[in-house]
């Protein structure tokens, strides 16, 4: 089969490799599309260390091409979205249901080979059957949507509450829609005006430009009180964490789902003074079914989020496109045979 093999920083070779052989509990997925995200980009540049050679790609969907002898949850020919993480299943965290926090968690496309290839082998329990008729392009959003479903769920929003979404990349634009589906009023806040119109089209009732506008004043005006009830932070920057605290009303909740890689100069005075709850949200536990349900119900629009697709052999171009200011989600399409 053909795979994009990362041999070192910015060194990808699209080449023929041996097809994977599934173990008894594994499934072989014929990949129909694989999305790129910031994590892939950092691995590609070498900023994030991995072992080489590696086939990256963790946001992928496809068709089940083969299953091991013990697999019962999926069948050959089924379209699936892959949950690209699996835990040990036996540690205290796993046993109490916190499998996303397992210290032995394996990330497909990061720790082991992933979906920038014609085929990928994953444990069958990582495969979530797609609702009938759901297009590959929509199914591709299942993984980032599962991240967002968890982040929003961690804030436990009530209908009629006000929410601010920080950052309007793919996660932020999905968060706007999931919050709307939960009955919240949404203020979208971003550093650039580029996608604020799109945020409005996808359901944000108001938008604010951070930096130029006084976004704290915008949050007060929008909520009609001291700030919004909850903030979903998707930007993954230290500044966004501080900003999230400033937008939130006393007694409100802040969910952080972006992963800031730098230290945050957060003034915890305000966390105590406002009695804020700051809640981390790490990927997903059991959110894929809800993500599928939202996609199937049409509660979430995805067509505006997939900016460009490239054939797998142009994956370098796909990484460049990922960094383009106007791009939201970029995906690669492996050759059919
Ligand atoms: Zn990702
Ligand atoms: Zn575990």
């Amino acid at each position: 089969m053909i795979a994009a093999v990362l041999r070192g920083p910015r060194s990808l070779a699209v080449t023929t490799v041996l097809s994977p052989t599934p173990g008894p509990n594994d499934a072989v997925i014929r990949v129909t599309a694989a999305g790129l995200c910031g994590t892939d980009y950092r691995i590609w540049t070498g900023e994030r260390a991995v072992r080489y050679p590696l086939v990256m790609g963790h946001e992928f969907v496809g068709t089940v091409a083969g299953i091991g002898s013990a697999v019962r949850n999926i069948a050959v020919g089924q379209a699936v979205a892959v949950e690209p993480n699996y835990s040990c299943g036996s540690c205290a965290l796993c046993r109490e249901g916190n499998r996303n926090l397992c210290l032995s968690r394996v990330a497909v496309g990061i720790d082991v080979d992933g979906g920038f290839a014609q085929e990928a082998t994953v444990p069958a329990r990582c495969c979530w059957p797609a609702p009938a008729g759901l297009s590959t392009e929509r199914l591709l959003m299942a993984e980032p949507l599962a991240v967002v479903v968890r982040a929003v769920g961690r804030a436990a929003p009530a209908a009629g509450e006000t929410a601010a979404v920080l950052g309007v990349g793919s996660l932020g634009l999905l968060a706007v829609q999931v919050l709307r589906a939960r009955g919240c009023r949404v203020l979208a806040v971003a550093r650039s005006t580029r996608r604020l119109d799109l945020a409005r089209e996808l359901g944000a009732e108001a938008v604010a430009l951070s930096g130029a506008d006084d976004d704290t004043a915008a949050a007060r005006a929008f909520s009609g009180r001291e700030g919004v009830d909850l903030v979903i932070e998707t930007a993954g920057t230290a500044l966004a964490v501080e900003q999230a605290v400033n937008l939130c009303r006393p007694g409100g909740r802040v969910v952080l789902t972006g992963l800031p890689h730098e230290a945050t100069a957060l003034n915890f005075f305000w966390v105590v003074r406002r009695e804020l709850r700051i809640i981390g949200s790490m990927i997903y536990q059991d959110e894929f079914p809800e993500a599928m349900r939202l996609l199937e119900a049409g509660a979430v629009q995805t067509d505006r989020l997939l900016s460009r697709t490239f054939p797998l052999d142009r994956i370098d171009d796909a990484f460049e496109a990922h960094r383009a200011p106007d791009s939201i989600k970029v995906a690669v399409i492996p050759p059919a045979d």
Side-chain angles (χ1 to χ4, degrees), residues 86-95 98-105:
Y86 50 93
S87 58
C88 77
S90 57
C91 71
L93 288 162
C94 283
R95 280 186 278 119
N98 289 316
R99 59 192 173 91
N100 57 327
L101 308 181
C102 172
L103 300 180
S104 308
R105 186 169 56 85

Side-chain angles (χ1 to χ4, degrees), residues 36-40 58-59 143 329:
L36 274 64
C37 78
T39 302
D40 299 305
H58 57 275
E59 296 180 10
E143 199 269 354
K329 179 62 74 184

Side-chain angles (χ1 to χ4, degrees), residues 11-26:
S11 170
L12 272 169
V14 178
T15 183
T16 301
V17 299
L18 280 176
S19 279
T21 315
N25 294 299
D26 290 340

Side-chain angles (χ1 to χ4, degrees), residues 168-240:
V168 288
S170 50
L171 293 182
L173 291 169
L174 289 168
V176 166
Q177 300 183 76
V178 172
L179 285 161
R180 286 282 300 180
R182 302 274 305 244
C184 294
R185 296 175 52 221
V186 183
L187 166 71
V189 181
R191 279 187 302 185
S192 144
T193 53
R194 215 175 289 118
R195 293 186 206 123
L196 287 178
D197 285 342
L198 181 54
R200 271 191 196 278
E201 283 173 45
L202 295 176
E205 193 178 313
V207 296
L209 187 63
S210 59
D213 294 349
D214 183 346
D215 42 29
T216 310
R220 289 197 190 117
F222 179 67
S223 61
R225 54 178 301 177
E226 310 85 352
V228 293
D229 298 309
L230 59 112
V231 180
I232 306 290
E233 187 283 312
T234 70
T237 63
L239 194 65

Side-chain angles (χ1 to χ4, degrees), residues 69-311:
S69 55
V71 173
R72 300 285 176 270
N73 64 318
I74 47 165
V76 170
Q78 218 158 30
V80 293
V82 173
E83 176 177 341
N85 292 276
Y86 50 93
S87 58
C88 77
S90 57
C91 71
L93 288 162
C94 283
R95 280 186 278 119
E96 64 202 19
N98 289 316
R99 59 192 173 91
N100 57 327
L101 308 181
C102 172
L103 300 180
S104 308
R105 186 169 56 85
V106 175
V108 176
I110 300 171
D111 302 317
V112 297
D113 286 349
F116 292 159
Q118 282 182 308
E119 289 180 353
T121 299
V122 294
R125 64 189 153 104
C126 294
C127 299
W128 294 96
L134 201 68
S135 72
T136 293
E137 292 74 19
R138 277 178 74 64
L139 190 58
L140 194 56
M141 290 298 161
E143 199 269 354
L145 184 54
V147 170
V148 168
V149 167
R150 180 162 185 80
V152 170
R154 298 273 291 158
E161 283 196 305
T162 54
V165 172
L166 278 181
V168 288
S170 50
L171 293 182
L173 291 169
L174 289 168
V176 166
Q177 300 183 76
V178 172
L179 285 161
R180 286 282 300 180
R182 302 274 305 244
C184 294
R185 296 175 52 221
V186 183
L187 166 71
V189 181
R191 279 187 302 185
S192 144
T193 53
R194 215 175 289 118
R195 293 186 206 123
L196 287 178
D197 285 342
L198 181 54
R200 271 191 196 278
E201 283 173 45
L202 295 176
E205 193 178 313
V207 296
L209 187 63
S210 59
D213 294 349
D214 183 346
D215 42 29
T216 310
R220 289 197 190 117
F222 179 67
S223 61
R225 54 178 301 177
E226 310 85 352
V228 293
D229 298 309
L230 59 112
V231 180
I232 306 290
E233 187 283 312
T234 70
T237 63
L239 194 65
V241 175
E242 286 186 74
Q243 202 180 10
V245 166
N246 290 334
L247 299 181
C248 201
R249 68 164 168 83
R253 313 71 103 187
V254 172
V255 176
L256 307 177
T257 196
L259 282 168
H261 287 263
E262 66 276 22
T264 301
L266 180 64
N267 188 343
F268 277 89
F269 176 88
W270 293 112
V271 177
V272 177
R273 179 65 185 78
R274 296 178 187 148
E275 209 168 72
L276 297 178
R277 268 178 291 163
I278 297 186
I279 305 162
S281 187
M282 180 61 186
I283 55 169
Y284 26 71
Q285 276 180 0
D286 297 299
E287 282 79 10
F288 265 72
E290 174 64 3
M292 295 289 200
R293 194 192 66 74
L294 289 167
L295 289 170
E296 187 178 24
V300 170
Q301 291 184 49
T302 57
D303 51 336
R304 303 287 301 279
L305 305 188
L306 184 61
S307 311
R308 288 188 75 179
T309 62
F310 291 86

